[in-house]
Amino acid sequence: MLRLPQIIRNLFLRLEGLFGVLFQTISNLVGNFFGFFAKLFGFTSSGYFLESDQAQAIKQASAKQPIEKAQDNTAKIPATNRRRSNAKIDDYYLNMARDVKKN
């Protein structure tokens, strides 16, 4: 490998690592800043986006109703598909193998 492309690749890898560390630190600072205000206004409570208990009780009661299943009256026939013997094809390949063996 030529030295110049190797040096350029290593330089870009090191710059990428440096920017990754710097931007991770900056993103953590921004996240902590907005996280403080989210906690202050109560956006982090788990029940904030949930519906009221009364609406959830109605949904749970309606979901518990049994579902009727229609019975299938058709007779179940077991599928047993046997392969036909391919005697003609088998004989053809056996004869071909014998001819090759003879020659």
Side-chain angles (χ1 to χ4, degrees):
M1 181 186 292
L2 298 174
R3 295 293 283 171
L4 185 61
Q6 184 179 7
I7 292 170
I8 292 172
R9 286 180 187 163
N10 287 340
L11 175 70
F12 283 130
L13 287 174
R14 290 170 194 247
L15 287 174
E16 181 183 359
L18 175 68
F19 287 136
V21 170
L22 291 177
F23 286 132
Q24 182 180 10
T25 305
I26 292 171
S27 68
N28 285 340
L29 289 174
V30 171
N32 289 337
F33 177 74
F34 286 114
F36 170 74
F37 286 108
K39 288 179 186 176
L40 184 67
F41 293 118
F43 290 124
T44 58
S45 63
S46 61
Y48 182 77
F49 293 105
L50 296 177
E51 297 175 350
S52 66
D53 290 336
Q54 182 181 7
Q56 287 181 1
I58 293 171
K59 286 182 182 178
Q60 289 175 356
S62 64
K64 290 182 182 177
Q65 294 176 353
I67 300 171
E68 295 180 16
K69 294 183 180 179
Q71 292 181 354
D72 191 12
N73 293 335
T74 58
K76 303 272 183 178
I77 301 172
T80 55
N81 295 333
R82 290 190 174 179
R83 294 177 62 183
R84 294 186 301 153
S85 64
N86 295 329
K88 292 180 182 178
I89 295 174
D90 291 340
D91 289 341
Y92 171 76
Y93 287 115
L94 286 172
N95 290 336
M96 185 187 305
R98 286 186 193 121
D99 290 343
V100 169
K101 194 173 187 179
K102 287 180 184 177
N103 292 335

